[in-house]
Amino acid sequence: LAADFADAIAGRRERGEQLSVTFIGIVGLDIVDGGSDGERLWLDVRIVGQMVSVLRDSLGAVVLGDPLRVVDIPELWTFERQLHSPEPVWQLVATEPEE
């Protein structure tokens, strides 16, 4: 996953493109699933964020997105924690776009 991000950034840099992303806020947050396997607890959380995303070419022209349009981005985030741990810390272990 980190390599994919690095490749995308390198590709944009080579083409002289610039990506601008502005996070507006979270408009939805719902626990959609959860459970335990006896050693760990897990929760799937549907999060809907809003953002403005614009990709510009080397001349500053918009290639993708719209600088005046706020877009809802629904994703599924999975959190886990150890069941018998004294620490009540949940870790983010996966994210994926909602289809």
Side-chain angles (χ1 to χ4, degrees):
L1 189 59
D4 293 338
F5 281 115
D7 289 345
I9 291 168
R12 282 194 300 270
R13 189 172 291 137
E14 287 174 15
R15 293 184 299 274
E17 296 173 338
Q18 184 175 17
L19 178 64
S20 172
V21 177
T22 303
F23 178 71
I24 304 300
I26 294 175
V27 295
L29 185 74
D30 297 297
I31 296 173
V32 295
D33 201 4
S36 172
D37 64 6
E39 293 186 21
R40 64 184 174 88
L41 299 168
W42 58 271
L43 287 175
D44 286 338
V45 180
R46 180 179 188 265
I47 298 174
V48 180
Q50 289 187 324
M51 62 181 59
V52 176
S53 178
V54 179
L55 179 65
R56 297 179 186 274
D57 67 15
S58 61
L59 300 176
V62 174
V63 175
L64 186 64
D66 182 340
L68 301 176
R69 184 169 175 234
V70 176
V71 178
D72 287 352
I73 308 292
E75 295 183 327
L76 187 64
W77 291 28
T78 301
F79 296 90
E80 290 183 354
R81 77 175 288 269
Q82 295 301 312
L83 181 62
H84 302 292
S85 172
E87 298 292 325
V89 177
W90 290 82
Q91 292 185 320
L92 177 63
V93 296
T95 63
E96 60 187 76
E98 185 179 72
E99 296 181 19

